[in-house]
Amino acid sequence: MQTIEFELEGTYVELNMLLKLTGLCDSGGAGKAIVATGAVSVDQQIELRKTCKIHAGQVVTIDDIEIHVLADSGAE
């Protein structure tokens, strides 16, 4: 399984934008379409909310790729 570590800039990122920012799709709209198919899991639960807020510590899975969401290193 491939692992991607994504560092947040702020407190959260919307799920569809996370897919775009990690290079798994070309746009936020494409990310929404992927989420709508039921192909994305958050913390091992299928997630259908396209713009659900993803916070540090959560793990997003799509196919054989895991995205580990890390806290913003500049945050206090």
mmCIF file with all atom_site columns, all heavy atoms in Angstrom, residues 1-21:
data_model
loop_
_atom_site.group_PDB
_atom_site.id
_atom_site.type_symbol
_atom_site.label_atom_id
_atom_site.label_alt_id
_atom_site.label_comp_id
_atom_site.label_asym_id
_atom_site.label_entity_id
_atom_site.label_seq_id
_atom_site.pdbx_PDB_ins_code
_atom_site.Cartn_x
_atom_site.Cartn_y
_atom_site.Cartn_z
_atom_site.occupancy
_atom_site.B_iso_or_equiv
_atom_site.pdbx_formal_charge
_atom_site.auth_seq_id
_atom_site.auth_comp_id
_atom_site.auth_asym_id
_atom_site.auth_atom_id
_atom_site.pdbx_PDB_model_num
ATOM 1   N N   . MET A 1 1  ? 0.843   -1.183 0.000  1.00 0.00 ? 1  MET A N   1
ATOM 2   C CA  . MET A 1 1  ? 0.000   0.000  0.000  1.00 0.00 ? 1  MET A CA  1
ATOM 3   C C   . MET A 1 1  ? 0.886   1.243  0.000  1.00 0.00 ? 1  MET A C   1
ATOM 4   O O   . MET A 1 1  ? 1.836   1.334  0.757  1.00 0.00 ? 1  MET A O   1
ATOM 5   C CB  . MET A 1 1  ? -0.915  -0.009 1.224  1.00 0.00 ? 1  MET A CB  1
ATOM 6   C CG  . MET A 1 1  ? -1.813  1.206  1.301  1.00 0.00 ? 1  MET A CG  1
ATOM 7   S SD  . MET A 1 1  ? -3.145  1.057  2.515  1.00 0.00 ? 1  MET A SD  1
ATOM 8   C CE  . MET A 1 1  ? -4.292  0.038  1.613  1.00 0.00 ? 1  MET A CE  1
ATOM 9   N N   . GLN A 1 2  ? 0.556   2.189  -0.855 1.00 0.00 ? 2  GLN A N   1
ATOM 10  C CA  . GLN A 1 2  ? 1.295   3.451  -0.925 1.00 0.00 ? 2  GLN A CA  1
ATOM 11  C C   . GLN A 1 2  ? 0.783   4.393  0.162  1.00 0.00 ? 2  GLN A C   1
ATOM 12  O O   . GLN A 1 2  ? -0.419  4.455  0.421  1.00 0.00 ? 2  GLN A O   1
ATOM 13  C CB  . GLN A 1 2  ? 1.101   4.097  -2.303 1.00 0.00 ? 2  GLN A CB  1
ATOM 14  C CG  . GLN A 1 2  ? 1.809   5.428  -2.447 1.00 0.00 ? 2  GLN A CG  1
ATOM 15  C CD  . GLN A 1 2  ? 1.523   6.090  -3.790 1.00 0.00 ? 2  GLN A CD  1
ATOM 16  O OE1 . GLN A 1 2  ? 0.907   5.514  -4.668 1.00 0.00 ? 2  GLN A OE1 1
ATOM 17  N NE2 . GLN A 1 2  ? 1.970   7.320  -3.936 1.00 0.00 ? 2  GLN A NE2 1
ATOM 18  N N   . THR A 1 3  ? 1.701   5.118  0.784  1.00 0.00 ? 3  THR A N   1
ATOM 19  C CA  . THR A 1 3  ? 1.337   6.067  1.829  1.00 0.00 ? 3  THR A CA  1
ATOM 20  C C   . THR A 1 3  ? 1.766   7.467  1.422  1.00 0.00 ? 3  THR A C   1
ATOM 21  O O   . THR A 1 3  ? 2.884   7.677  0.976  1.00 0.00 ? 3  THR A O   1
ATOM 22  C CB  . THR A 1 3  ? 2.014   5.691  3.163  1.00 0.00 ? 3  THR A CB  1
ATOM 23  O OG1 . THR A 1 3  ? 1.607   4.372  3.533  1.00 0.00 ? 3  THR A OG1 1
ATOM 24  C CG2 . THR A 1 3  ? 1.621   6.658  4.270  1.00 0.00 ? 3  THR A CG2 1
ATOM 25  N N   . ILE A 1 4  ? 0.852   8.420  1.583  1.00 0.00 ? 4  ILE A N   1
ATOM 26  C CA  . ILE A 1 4  ? 1.138   9.830  1.331  1.00 0.00 ? 4  ILE A CA  1
ATOM 27  C C   . ILE A 1 4  ? 0.951   10.557 2.653  1.00 0.00 ? 4  ILE A C   1
ATOM 28  O O   . ILE A 1 4  ? -0.064  10.368 3.328  1.00 0.00 ? 4  ILE A O   1
ATOM 29  C CB  . ILE A 1 4  ? 0.174   10.422 0.282  1.00 0.00 ? 4  ILE A CB  1
ATOM 30  C CG1 . ILE A 1 4  ? 0.329   9.709  -1.055 1.00 0.00 ? 4  ILE A CG1 1
ATOM 31  C CG2 . ILE A 1 4  ? 0.385   11.921 0.133  1.00 0.00 ? 4  ILE A CG2 1
ATOM 32  C CD1 . ILE A 1 4  ? -0.730  10.086 -2.090 1.00 0.00 ? 4  ILE A CD1 1
ATOM 33  N N   . GLU A 1 5  ? 1.922   11.380 3.027  1.00 0.00 ? 5  GLU A N   1
ATOM 34  C CA  . GLU A 1 5  ? 1.768   12.217 4.217  1.00 0.00 ? 5  GLU A CA  1
ATOM 35  C C   . GLU A 1 5  ? 1.419   13.625 3.750  1.00 0.00 ? 5  GLU A C   1
ATOM 36  O O   . GLU A 1 5  ? 2.133   14.210 2.949  1.00 0.00 ? 5  GLU A O   1
ATOM 37  C CB  . GLU A 1 5  ? 3.041   12.212 5.051  1.00 0.00 ? 5  GLU A CB  1
ATOM 38  C CG  . GLU A 1 5  ? 3.298   10.871 5.698  1.00 0.00 ? 5  GLU A CG  1
ATOM 39  C CD  . GLU A 1 5  ? 4.446   10.895 6.684  1.00 0.00 ? 5  GLU A CD  1
ATOM 40  O OE1 . GLU A 1 5  ? 5.237   11.857 6.677  1.00 0.00 ? 5  GLU A OE1 1
ATOM 41  O OE2 . GLU A 1 5  ? 4.542   9.938  7.463  1.00 0.00 ? 5  GLU A OE2 1
ATOM 42  N N   . PHE A 1 6  ? 0.299   14.138 4.251  1.00 0.00 ? 6  PHE A N   1
ATOM 43  C CA  . PHE A 1 6  ? -0.188  15.462 3.857  1.00 0.00 ? 6  PHE A CA  1
ATOM 44  C C   . PHE A 1 6  ? -0.213  16.356 5.083  1.00 0.00 ? 6  PHE A C   1
ATOM 45  O O   . PHE A 1 6  ? -0.876  16.049 6.072  1.00 0.00 ? 6  PHE A O   1
ATOM 46  C CB  . PHE A 1 6  ? -1.595  15.361 3.258  1.00 0.00 ? 6  PHE A CB  1
ATOM 47  C CG  . PHE A 1 6  ? -2.164  16.696 2.864  1.00 0.00 ? 6  PHE A CG  1
ATOM 48  C CD1 . PHE A 1 6  ? -1.813  17.277 1.658  1.00 0.00 ? 6  PHE A CD1 1
ATOM 49  C CD2 . PHE A 1 6  ? -3.037  17.359 3.700  1.00 0.00 ? 6  PHE A CD2 1
ATOM 50  C CE1 . PHE A 1 6  ? -2.334  18.515 1.298  1.00 0.00 ? 6  PHE A CE1 1
ATOM 51  C CE2 . PHE A 1 6  ? -3.562  18.600 3.354  1.00 0.00 ? 6  PHE A CE2 1
ATOM 52  C CZ  . PHE A 1 6  ? -3.204  19.174 2.139  1.00 0.00 ? 6  PHE A CZ  1
ATOM 53  N N   . GLU A 1 7  ? 0.519   17.463 5.026  1.00 0.00 ? 7  GLU A N   1
ATOM 54  C CA  . GLU A 1 7  ? 0.549   18.406 6.145  1.00 0.00 ? 7  GLU A CA  1
ATOM 55  C C   . GLU A 1 7  ? -0.505  19.484 5.934  1.00 0.00 ? 7  GLU A C   1
ATOM 56  O O   . GLU A 1 7  ? -0.520  20.160 4.914  1.00 0.00 ? 7  GLU A O   1
ATOM 57  C CB  . GLU A 1 7  ? 1.928   19.041 6.270  1.00 0.00 ? 7  GLU A CB  1
ATOM 58  C CG  . GLU A 1 7  ? 2.051   19.913 7.506  1.00 0.00 ? 7  GLU A CG  1
ATOM 59  C CD  . GLU A 1 7  ? 3.458   20.434 7.702  1.00 0.00 ? 7  GLU A CD  1
ATOM 60  O OE1 . GLU A 1 7  ? 4.394   19.626 7.665  1.00 0.00 ? 7  GLU A OE1 1
ATOM 61  O OE2 . GLU A 1 7  ? 3.598   21.653 7.878  1.00 0.00 ? 7  GLU A OE2 1
ATOM 62  N N   . LEU A 1 8  ? -1.390  19.613 6.915  1.00 0.00 ? 8  LEU A N   1
ATOM 63  C CA  . LEU A 1 8  ? -2.449  20.623 6.857  1.00 0.00 ? 8  LEU A CA  1
ATOM 64  C C   . LEU A 1 8  ? -1.881  22.032 6.918  1.00 0.00 ? 8  LEU A C   1
ATOM 65  O O   . LEU A 1 8  ? -0.884  22.275 7.595  1.00 0.00 ? 8  LEU A O   1
ATOM 66  C CB  . LEU A 1 8  ? -3.396  20.459 8.041  1.00 0.00 ? 8  LEU A CB  1
ATOM 67  C CG  . LEU A 1 8  ? -4.449  19.371 7.966  1.00 0.00 ? 8  LEU A CG  1
ATOM 68  C CD1 . LEU A 1 8  ? -5.201  19.327 9.278  1.00 0.00 ? 8  LEU A CD1 1
ATOM 69  C CD2 . LEU A 1 8  ? -5.393  19.595 6.821  1.00 0.00 ? 8  LEU A CD2 1
ATOM 70  N N   . GLU A 1 9  ? -2.539  22.945 6.242  1.00 0.00 ? 9  GLU A N   1
ATOM 71  C CA  . GLU A 1 9  ? -2.285  24.375 6.416  1.00 0.00 ? 9  GLU A CA  1
ATOM 72  C C   . GLU A 1 9  ? -3.566  24.925 7.024  1.00 0.00 ? 9  GLU A C   1
ATOM 73  O O   . GLU A 1 9  ? -4.502  25.263 6.307  1.00 0.00 ? 9  GLU A O   1
ATOM 74  C CB  . GLU A 1 9  ? -1.974  25.037 5.076  1.00 0.00 ? 9  GLU A CB  1
ATOM 75  C CG  . GLU A 1 9  ? -0.659  24.597 4.477  1.00 0.00 ? 9  GLU A CG  1
ATOM 76  C CD  . GLU A 1 9  ? -0.367  25.278 3.149  1.00 0.00 ? 9  GLU A CD  1
ATOM 77  O OE1 . GLU A 1 9  ? -1.108  26.200 2.768  1.00 0.00 ? 9  GLU A OE1 1
ATOM 78  O OE2 . GLU A 1 9  ? 0.590   24.853 2.496  1.00 0.00 ? 9  GLU A OE2 1
ATOM 79  N N   . GLY A 1 10 ? -3.630  24.950 8.323  1.00 0.00 ? 10 GLY A N   1
ATOM 80  C CA  . GLY A 1 10 ? -4.848  25.345 9.018  1.00 0.00 ? 10 GLY A CA  1
ATOM 81  C C   . GLY A 1 10 ? -5.367  24.178 9.840  1.00 0.00 ? 10 GLY A C   1
ATOM 82  O O   . GLY A 1 10 ? -4.637  23.251 10.160 1.00 0.00 ? 10 GLY A O   1
ATOM 83  N N   . THR A 1 11 ? -6.688  24.211 10.138 1.00 0.00 ? 11 THR A N   1
ATOM 84  C CA  . THR A 1 11 ? -7.247  23.183 11.014 1.00 0.00 ? 11 THR A CA  1
ATOM 85  C C   . THR A 1 11 ? -7.873  22.012 10.277 1.00 0.00 ? 11 THR A C   1
ATOM 86  O O   . THR A 1 11 ? -8.029  20.946 10.848 1.00 0.00 ? 11 THR A O   1
ATOM 87  C CB  . THR A 1 11 ? -8.301  23.800 11.953 1.00 0.00 ? 11 THR A CB  1
ATOM 88  O OG1 . THR A 1 11 ? -9.312  24.412 11.153 1.00 0.00 ? 11 THR A OG1 1
ATOM 89  C CG2 . THR A 1 11 ? -7.679  24.831 12.880 1.00 0.00 ? 11 THR A CG2 1
ATOM 90  N N   . TYR A 1 12 ? -8.257  22.210 9.006  1.00 0.00 ? 12 TYR A N   1
ATOM 91  C CA  . TYR A 1 12 ? -8.873  21.120 8.253  1.00 0.00 ? 12 TYR A CA  1
ATOM 92  C C   . TYR A 1 12 ? -8.734  21.369 6.754  1.00 0.00 ? 12 TYR A C   1
ATOM 93  O O   . TYR A 1 12 ? -8.383  22.464 6.323  1.00 0.00 ? 12 TYR A O   1
ATOM 94  C CB  . TYR A 1 12 ? -10.366 20.962 8.612  1.00 0.00 ? 12 TYR A CB  1
ATOM 95  C CG  . TYR A 1 12 ? -11.240 22.075 8.087  1.00 0.00 ? 12 TYR A CG  1
ATOM 96  C CD1 . TYR A 1 12 ? -11.827 21.996 6.825  1.00 0.00 ? 12 TYR A CD1 1
ATOM 97  C CD2 . TYR A 1 12 ? -11.476 23.218 8.842  1.00 0.00 ? 12 TYR A CD2 1
ATOM 98  C CE1 . TYR A 1 12 ? -12.621 23.020 6.331  1.00 0.00 ? 12 TYR A CE1 1
ATOM 99  C CE2 . TYR A 1 12 ? -12.271 24.242 8.360  1.00 0.00 ? 12 TYR A CE2 1
ATOM 100 C CZ  . TYR A 1 12 ? -12.840 24.140 7.099  1.00 0.00 ? 12 TYR A CZ  1
ATOM 101 O OH  . TYR A 1 12 ? -13.611 25.154 6.619  1.00 0.00 ? 12 TYR A OH  1
ATOM 102 N N   . VAL A 1 13 ? -9.026  20.324 5.975  1.00 0.00 ? 13 VAL A N   1
ATOM 103 C CA  . VAL A 1 13 ? -9.114  20.431 4.520  1.00 0.00 ? 13 VAL A CA  1
ATOM 104 C C   . VAL A 1 13 ? -10.346 19.645 4.110  1.00 0.00 ? 13 VAL A C   1
ATOM 105 O O   . VAL A 1 13 ? -10.680 18.623 4.708  1.00 0.00 ? 13 VAL A O   1
ATOM 106 C CB  . VAL A 1 13 ? -7.831  19.904 3.825  1.00 0.00 ? 13 VAL A CB  1
ATOM 107 C CG1 . VAL A 1 13 ? -7.625  18.421 4.084  1.00 0.00 ? 13 VAL A CG1 1
ATOM 108 C CG2 . VAL A 1 13 ? -7.857  20.184 2.329  1.00 0.00 ? 13 VAL A CG2 1
ATOM 109 N N   . GLU A 1 14 ? -11.075 20.148 3.114  1.00 0.00 ? 14 GLU A N   1
ATOM 110 C CA  . GLU A 1 14 ? -12.241 19.420 2.618  1.00 0.00 ? 14 GLU A CA  1
ATOM 111 C C   . GLU A 1 14 ? -11.768 18.189 1.855  1.00 0.00 ? 14 GLU A C   1
ATOM 112 O O   . GLU A 1 14 ? -10.747 18.213 1.170  1.00 0.00 ? 14 GLU A O   1
ATOM 113 C CB  . GLU A 1 14 ? -13.090 20.315 1.719  1.00 0.00 ? 14 GLU A CB  1
ATOM 114 C CG  . GLU A 1 14 ? -13.753 21.443 2.477  1.00 0.00 ? 14 GLU A CG  1
ATOM 115 C CD  . GLU A 1 14 ? -14.583 22.346 1.593  1.00 0.00 ? 14 GLU A CD  1
ATOM 116 O OE1 . GLU A 1 14 ? -14.528 22.215 0.346  1.00 0.00 ? 14 GLU A OE1 1
ATOM 117 O OE2 . GLU A 1 14 ? -15.282 23.203 2.152  1.00 0.00 ? 14 GLU A OE2 1
ATOM 118 N N   . LEU A 1 15 ? -12.520 17.108 1.974  1.00 0.00 ? 15 LEU A N   1
ATOM 119 C CA  . LEU A 1 15 ? -12.122 15.828 1.396  1.00 0.00 ? 15 LEU A CA  1
ATOM 120 C C   . LEU A 1 15 ? -11.834 15.924 -0.102 1.00 0.00 ? 15 LEU A C   1
ATOM 121 O O   . LEU A 1 15 ? -10.803 15.436 -0.571 1.00 0.00 ? 15 LEU A O   1
ATOM 122 C CB  . LEU A 1 15 ? -13.203 14.776 1.665  1.00 0.00 ? 15 LEU A CB  1
ATOM 123 C CG  . LEU A 1 15 ? -12.933 13.369 1.155  1.00 0.00 ? 15 LEU A CG  1
ATOM 124 C CD1 . LEU A 1 15 ? -11.605 12.828 1.684  1.00 0.00 ? 15 LEU A CD1 1
ATOM 125 C CD2 . LEU A 1 15 ? -14.075 12.439 1.537  1.00 0.00 ? 15 LEU A CD2 1
ATOM 126 N N   . ASN A 1 16 ? -12.722 16.556 -0.866 1.00 0.00 ? 16 ASN A N   1
ATOM 127 C CA  . ASN A 1 16 ? -12.496 16.642 -2.311 1.00 0.00 ? 16 ASN A CA  1
ATOM 128 C C   . ASN A 1 16 ? -11.221 17.422 -2.636 1.00 0.00 ? 16 ASN A C   1
ATOM 129 O O   . ASN A 1 16 ? -10.482 17.065 -3.566 1.00 0.00 ? 16 ASN A O   1
ATOM 130 C CB  . ASN A 1 16 ? -13.703 17.257 -3.023 1.00 0.00 ? 16 ASN A CB  1
ATOM 131 C CG  . ASN A 1 16 ? -13.959 18.703 -2.624 1.00 0.00 ? 16 ASN A CG  1
ATOM 132 O OD1 . ASN A 1 16 ? -14.005 19.033 -1.445 1.00 0.00 ? 16 ASN A OD1 1
ATOM 133 N ND2 . ASN A 1 16 ? -14.126 19.559 -3.598 1.00 0.00 ? 16 ASN A ND2 1
ATOM 134 N N   . MET A 1 17 ? -10.912 18.445 -1.849 1.00 0.00 ? 17 MET A N   1
ATOM 135 C CA  . MET A 1 17 ? -9.696  19.230 -2.081 1.00 0.00 ? 17 MET A CA  1
ATOM 136 C C   . MET A 1 17 ? -8.449  18.461 -1.659 1.00 0.00 ? 17 MET A C   1
ATOM 137 O O   . MET A 1 17 ? -7.386  18.609 -2.256 1.00 0.00 ? 17 MET A O   1
ATOM 138 C CB  . MET A 1 17 ? -9.775  20.568 -1.340 1.00 0.00 ? 17 MET A CB  1
ATOM 139 C CG  . MET A 1 17 ? -10.846 21.489 -1.902 1.00 0.00 ? 17 MET A CG  1
ATOM 140 S SD  . MET A 1 17 ? -10.713 21.763 -3.691 1.00 0.00 ? 17 MET A SD  1
ATOM 141 C CE  . MET A 1 17 ? -9.165  22.602 -3.799 1.00 0.00 ? 17 MET A CE  1
ATOM 142 N N   . LEU A 1 18 ? -8.565  17.597 -0.653 1.00 0.00 ? 18 LEU A N   1
ATOM 143 C CA  . LEU A 1 18 ? -7.438  16.763 -0.250 1.00 0.00 ? 18 LEU A CA  1
ATOM 144 C C   . LEU A 1 18 ? -7.023  15.850 -1.402 1.00 0.00 ? 18 LEU A C   1
ATOM 145 O O   . LEU A 1 18 ? -5.837  15.690 -1.677 1.00 0.00 ? 18 LEU A O   1
ATOM 146 C CB  . LEU A 1 18 ? -7.809  15.924 0.985  1.00 0.00 ? 18 LEU A CB  1
ATOM 147 C CG  . LEU A 1 18 ? -6.740  14.942 1.464  1.00 0.00 ? 18 LEU A CG  1
ATOM 148 C CD1 . LEU A 1 18 ? -5.497  15.687 1.946  1.00 0.00 ? 18 LEU A CD1 1
ATOM 149 C CD2 . LEU A 1 18 ? -7.292  14.059 2.560  1.00 0.00 ? 18 LEU A CD2 1
ATOM 150 N N   . LEU A 1 19 ? -8.000  15.276 -2.086 1.00 0.00 ? 19 LEU A N   1
ATOM 151 C CA  . LEU A 1 19 ? -7.693  14.409 -3.226 1.00 0.00 ? 19 LEU A CA  1
ATOM 152 C C   . LEU A 1 19 ? -6.973  15.194 -4.322 1.00 0.00 ? 19 LEU A C   1
ATOM 153 O O   . LEU A 1 19 ? -6.044  14.702 -4.948 1.00 0.00 ? 19 LEU A O   1
ATOM 154 C CB  . LEU A 1 19 ? -8.965  13.763 -3.763 1.00 0.00 ? 19 LEU A CB  1
ATOM 155 C CG  . LEU A 1 19 ? -9.709  12.858 -2.783 1.00 0.00 ? 19 LEU A CG  1
ATOM 156 C CD1 . LEU A 1 19 ? -10.983 12.314 -3.423 1.00 0.00 ? 19 LEU A CD1 1
ATOM 157 C CD2 . LEU A 1 19 ? -8.831  11.730 -2.285 1.00 0.00 ? 19 LEU A CD2 1
ATOM 158 N N   . LYS A 1 20 ? -7.397  16.439 -4.526 1.00 0.00 ? 20 LYS A N   1
ATOM 159 C CA  . LYS A 1 20 ? -6.742  17.289 -5.530 1.00 0.00 ? 20 LYS A CA  1
ATOM 160 C C   . LYS A 1 20 ? -5.329  17.661 -5.083 1.00 0.00 ? 20 LYS A C   1
ATOM 161 O O   . LYS A 1 20 ? -4.365  17.538 -5.848 1.00 0.00 ? 20 LYS A O   1
ATOM 162 C CB  . LYS A 1 20 ? -7.561  18.554 -5.765 1.00 0.00 ? 20 LYS A CB  1
ATOM 163 C CG  . LYS A 1 20 ? -6.873  19.522 -6.720 1.00 0.00 ? 20 LYS A CG  1
ATOM 164 C CD  . LYS A 1 20 ? -7.604  20.838 -6.826 1.00 0.00 ? 20 LYS A CD  1
ATOM 165 C CE  . LYS A 1 20 ? -6.788  21.794 -7.683 1.00 0.00 ? 20 LYS A CE  1
ATOM 166 N NZ  . LYS A 1 20 ? -7.304  23.142 -7.623 1.00 0.00 ? 20 LYS A NZ  1
ATOM 167 N N   . LEU A 1 21 ? -5.182  18.090 -3.855 1.00 0.00 ? 21 LEU A N   1
ATOM 168 C CA  . LEU A 1 21 ? -3.885  18.572 -3.362 1.00 0.00 ? 21 LEU A CA  1
ATOM 169 C C   . LEU A 1 21 ? -2.834  17.469 -3.278 1.00 0.00 ? 21 LEU A C   1
ATOM 170 O O   . LEU A 1 21 ? -1.640  17.747 -3.334 1.00 0.00 ? 21 LEU A O   1
ATOM 171 C CB  . LEU A 1 21 ? -4.067  19.240 -1.997 1.00 0.00 ? 21 LEU A CB  1
ATOM 172 C CG  . LEU A 1 21 ? -4.880  20.539 -2.026 1.00 0.00 ? 21 LEU A CG  1
ATOM 173 C CD1 . LEU A 1 21 ? -5.214  20.990 -0.605 1.00 0.00 ? 21 LEU A CD1 1
ATOM 174 C CD2 . LEU A 1 21 ? -4.143  21.626 -2.771 1.00 0.00 ? 21 LEU A CD2 1
#
